[in-house]
Amino acid sequence: MLLSFIVPVFNVEHYIEDCIKSIICQPGNDFQVILVDDGSTDNSGIICDKYAKLDSRVLSYHKSNGGLSEARNYGIERASGKYLAFVDADDFIGGRAIEIIRGIIENHSNLDVILMEAFKLFPDNRILSLGEGYRTDCINGCSKRVVLNHLAGLNKFPASACSKIVNRNFLIRNNLFFISGLISEDVDWSIRLFLSADSFWYSSYRYYFYRQNREGSITNSVNPKRLWDLLSIIENHSKYKNLNYREYILPFLSYEIAIVILLYSKLSQCSSKKEIAHKVKDLSWVLAYGRTKKIKFVRLCYLIFGLSVTSSLLNVAKRIVDASIVKKQGKFLC
């Protein structure tokens, strides 16, 4: 088995069939789809079982609800593919994805991580690149130091697990499981992944499509735990002792503290909002390691205006920039 797609499923009955079809409609018997029904209360689990009966490449499992990380770990333990891919059940992959991945693996044996292109899909079928800005000449065939230096200078930290194909033996050997109960688990996982990997590859193929503005999506909600977990991840990795790679980790963290600052004004009044502000202040030194103009701008605003005003300014700026990007670059999915 070359490739295992791990799909955590929770109350996505309106989207799960599109997700499954995007994978199994592709040719080949060297891949499998592992559906992990994480305690769904709608018809999602029934749909999973239906496709498992229709296609021998599909395996359907059911477990009590434990969250995204636990469901992914459950799938990893049951996967038999040499490489693993993570797909959220409300998203889907491109029509030639497996062909492209298969070609990379066959031509470049024992890669640890393959980085793929991802896009946002809006309700009107407009798509927009996630905008990581990967460069082939800074990844393919390059040393770990060159790759990490490139990633550290990107306009955004490429944290999503879904835009990466990972060697399963490498993952198991380095204990790269997801931390259960952690929101923004992809940030922590991707940092550990980059630090552990030695060989990388990149494909510019339009691989992954994230549905945007879906009601009930975790990424659409802002609550104190989300910010606390992000701050905990930043704090833990800021203590990284290996001087060989610390210079690359801190720019990753500077991007994430900027995300916390952006989200702060979206928090409703809560008992821990003041404590979150204090923790942001304690970790704001990480902003000094940002390499991009965007992070340098956030740091300057934070130093001048403080957390609340900076957060509000960033949200206004983000809305203006996002609208401009969609107007100039947005294309419709064919």
Side-chain angles (χ1 to χ4, degrees), residues 50-61:
K50 179 183 79 171
Y51 279 92
K53 291 177 182 177
L54 291 172
D55 194 318
S56 61
R57 298 171 299 179
V58 179
L59 302 174
S60 177
Y61 296 95

PDB file of all heavy atoms in Angstrom, residues 50-61:
ATOM      1  N   LYS A  50     -21.477   2.944   4.166  1.00  0.00           N
ATOM      2  CA  LYS A  50     -21.972   2.678   2.805  1.00  0.00           C
ATOM      3  C   LYS A  50     -20.814   2.605   1.813  1.00  0.00           C
ATOM      4  O   LYS A  50     -20.745   1.673   0.985  1.00  0.00           O
ATOM      5  CB  LYS A  50     -22.954   3.778   2.388  1.00  0.00           C
ATOM      6  CG  LYS A  50     -23.509   3.596   0.972  1.00  0.00           C
ATOM      7  CD  LYS A  50     -24.413   4.748   0.563  1.00  0.00           C
ATOM      8  CE  LYS A  50     -23.612   5.960   0.126  1.00  0.00           C
ATOM      9  NZ  LYS A  50     -24.475   7.018  -0.490  1.00  0.00           N
ATOM     10  N   TYR A  51     -19.890   3.546   1.912  1.00  0.00           N
ATOM     11  CA  TYR A  51     -18.765   3.553   0.964  1.00  0.00           C
ATOM     12  C   TYR A  51     -17.764   2.439   1.257  1.00  0.00           C
ATOM     13  O   TYR A  51     -17.107   1.938   0.333  1.00  0.00           O
ATOM     14  CB  TYR A  51     -18.090   4.927   0.962  1.00  0.00           C
ATOM     15  CG  TYR A  51     -18.835   5.908   0.104  1.00  0.00           C
ATOM     16  CD1 TYR A  51     -19.816   6.726   0.643  1.00  0.00           C
ATOM     17  CD2 TYR A  51     -18.586   5.997  -1.261  1.00  0.00           C
ATOM     18  CE1 TYR A  51     -20.538   7.608  -0.151  1.00  0.00           C
ATOM     19  CE2 TYR A  51     -19.294   6.877  -2.066  1.00  0.00           C
ATOM     20  CZ  TYR A  51     -20.268   7.680  -1.510  1.00  0.00           C
ATOM     21  OH  TYR A  51     -20.980   8.544  -2.314  1.00  0.00           O
ATOM     22  N   ALA A  52     -17.663   2.034   2.507  1.00  0.00           N
ATOM     23  CA  ALA A  52     -16.785   0.903   2.842  1.00  0.00           C
ATOM     24  C   ALA A  52     -17.311  -0.385   2.215  1.00  0.00           C
ATOM     25  O   ALA A  52     -16.526  -1.264   1.821  1.00  0.00           O
ATOM     26  CB  ALA A  52     -16.677   0.760   4.359  1.00  0.00           C
ATOM     27  N   LYS A  53     -18.633  -0.510   2.104  1.00  0.00           N
ATOM     28  CA  LYS A  53     -19.225  -1.689   1.477  1.00  0.00           C
ATOM     29  C   LYS A  53     -19.095  -1.639  -0.044  1.00  0.00           C
ATOM     30  O   LYS A  53     -18.973  -2.671  -0.707  1.00  0.00           O
ATOM     31  CB  LYS A  53     -20.701  -1.795   1.872  1.00  0.00           C
ATOM     32  CG  LYS A  53     -20.929  -2.132   3.339  1.00  0.00           C
ATOM     33  CD  LYS A  53     -22.420  -2.145   3.664  1.00  0.00           C
ATOM     34  CE  LYS A  53     -22.646  -2.445   5.150  1.00  0.00           C
ATOM     35  NZ  LYS A  53     -24.100  -2.399   5.502  1.00  0.00           N
ATOM     36  N   LEU A  54     -19.115  -0.429  -0.604  1.00  0.00           N
ATOM     37  CA  LEU A  54     -19.053  -0.269  -2.050  1.00  0.00           C
ATOM     38  C   LEU A  54     -17.648  -0.388  -2.623  1.00  0.00           C
ATOM     39  O   LEU A  54     -17.466  -0.793  -3.773  1.00  0.00           O
ATOM     40  CB  LEU A  54     -19.633   1.099  -2.451  1.00  0.00           C
ATOM     41  CG  LEU A  54     -21.135   1.305  -2.264  1.00  0.00           C
ATOM     42  CD1 LEU A  54     -21.496   2.760  -2.523  1.00  0.00           C
ATOM     43  CD2 LEU A  54     -21.918   0.382  -3.201  1.00  0.00           C
ATOM     44  N   ASP A  55     -16.633  -0.037  -1.818  1.00  0.00           N
ATOM     45  CA  ASP A  55     -15.260   0.048  -2.333  1.00  0.00           C
ATOM     46  C   ASP A  55     -14.303  -0.570  -1.319  1.00  0.00           C
ATOM     47  O   ASP A  55     -14.232  -0.114  -0.170  1.00  0.00           O
ATOM     48  CB  ASP A  55     -14.900   1.519  -2.584  1.00  0.00           C
ATOM     49  CG  ASP A  55     -13.642   1.686  -3.432  1.00  0.00           C
ATOM     50  OD1 ASP A  55     -12.666   0.940  -3.206  1.00  0.00           O
ATOM     51  OD2 ASP A  55     -13.638   2.568  -4.309  1.00  0.00           O
ATOM     52  N   SER A  56     -13.554  -1.584  -1.742  1.00  0.00           N
ATOM     53  CA  SER A  56     -12.639  -2.288  -0.834  1.00  0.00           C
ATOM     54  C   SER A  56     -11.482  -1.407  -0.381  1.00  0.00           C
ATOM     55  O   SER A  56     -10.794  -1.736   0.593  1.00  0.00           O
ATOM     56  CB  SER A  56     -12.092  -3.551  -1.515  1.00  0.00           C
ATOM     57  OG  SER A  56     -11.365  -3.209  -2.695  1.00  0.00           O
ATOM     58  N   ARG A  57     -11.257  -0.282  -1.056  1.00  0.00           N
ATOM     59  CA  ARG A  57     -10.183   0.633  -0.666  1.00  0.00           C
ATOM     60  C   ARG A  57     -10.588   1.521   0.504  1.00  0.00           C
ATOM     61  O   ARG A  57      -9.747   2.242   1.061  1.00  0.00           O
ATOM     62  CB  ARG A  57      -9.773   1.513  -1.856  1.00  0.00           C
ATOM     63  CG  ARG A  57      -9.226   0.747  -3.049  1.00  0.00           C
ATOM     64  CD  ARG A  57      -9.047   1.654  -4.263  1.00  0.00           C
ATOM     65  NE  ARG A  57     -10.325   2.229  -4.697  1.00  0.00           N
ATOM     66  CZ  ARG A  57     -10.440   3.070  -5.724  1.00  0.00           C
ATOM     67  NH1 ARG A  57      -9.371   3.443  -6.414  1.00  0.00           N
ATOM     68  NH2 ARG A  57     -11.631   3.547  -6.055  1.00  0.00           N
ATOM     69  N   VAL A  58     -11.861   1.481   0.864  1.00  0.00           N
ATOM     70  CA  VAL A  58     -12.386   2.328   1.942  1.00  0.00           C
ATOM     71  C   VAL A  58     -12.590   1.491   3.199  1.00  0.00           C
ATOM     72  O   VAL A  58     -13.221   0.430   3.165  1.00  0.00           O
ATOM     73  CB  VAL A  58     -13.720   2.985   1.530  1.00  0.00           C
ATOM     74  CG1 VAL A  58     -14.262   3.839   2.673  1.00  0.00           C
ATOM     75  CG2 VAL A  58     -13.535   3.827   0.270  1.00  0.00           C
ATOM     76  N   LEU A  59     -12.054   1.968   4.315  1.00  0.00           N
ATOM     77  CA  LEU A  59     -12.230   1.325   5.610  1.00  0.00           C
ATOM     78  C   LEU A  59     -12.961   2.293   6.530  1.00  0.00           C
ATOM     79  O   LEU A  59     -12.598   3.473   6.611  1.00  0.00           O
ATOM     80  CB  LEU A  59     -10.877   0.951   6.224  1.00  0.00           C
ATOM     81  CG  LEU A  59      -9.987   0.020   5.387  1.00  0.00           C
ATOM     82  CD1 LEU A  59      -8.628  -0.139   6.055  1.00  0.00           C
ATOM     83  CD2 LEU A  59     -10.651  -1.328   5.198  1.00  0.00           C
ATOM     84  N   SER A  60     -13.986   1.814   7.202  1.00  0.00           N
ATOM     85  CA  SER A  60     -14.791   2.667   8.075  1.00  0.00           C
ATOM     86  C   SER A  60     -14.668   2.204   9.515  1.00  0.00           C
ATOM     87  O   SER A  60     -14.886   1.029   9.826  1.00  0.00           O
ATOM     88  CB  SER A  60     -16.262   2.624   7.628  1.00  0.00           C
ATOM     89  OG  SER A  60     -17.076   3.388   8.484  1.00  0.00           O
ATOM     90  N   TYR A  61     -14.294   3.151  10.393  1.00  0.00           N
ATOM     91  CA  TYR A  61     -14.167   2.861  11.819  1.00  0.00           C
ATOM     92  C   TYR A  61     -15.058   3.825  12.598  1.00  0.00           C
ATOM     93  O   TYR A  61     -15.303   4.949  12.168  1.00  0.00           O
ATOM     94  CB  TYR A  61     -12.719   3.034  12.292  1.00  0.00           C
ATOM     95  CG  TYR A  61     -11.746   2.074  11.661  1.00  0.00           C
ATOM     96  CD1 TYR A  61     -11.005   2.440  10.539  1.00  0.00           C
ATOM     97  CD2 TYR A  61     -11.557   0.805  12.191  1.00  0.00           C
ATOM     98  CE1 TYR A  61     -10.112   1.562   9.955  1.00  0.00           C
ATOM     99  CE2 TYR A  61     -10.647  -0.085  11.617  1.00  0.00           C
ATOM    100  CZ  TYR A  61      -9.936   0.295  10.506  1.00  0.00           C
ATOM    101  OH  TYR A  61      -9.045  -0.579   9.932  1.00  0.00           O
TER     102      TYR A  61
END
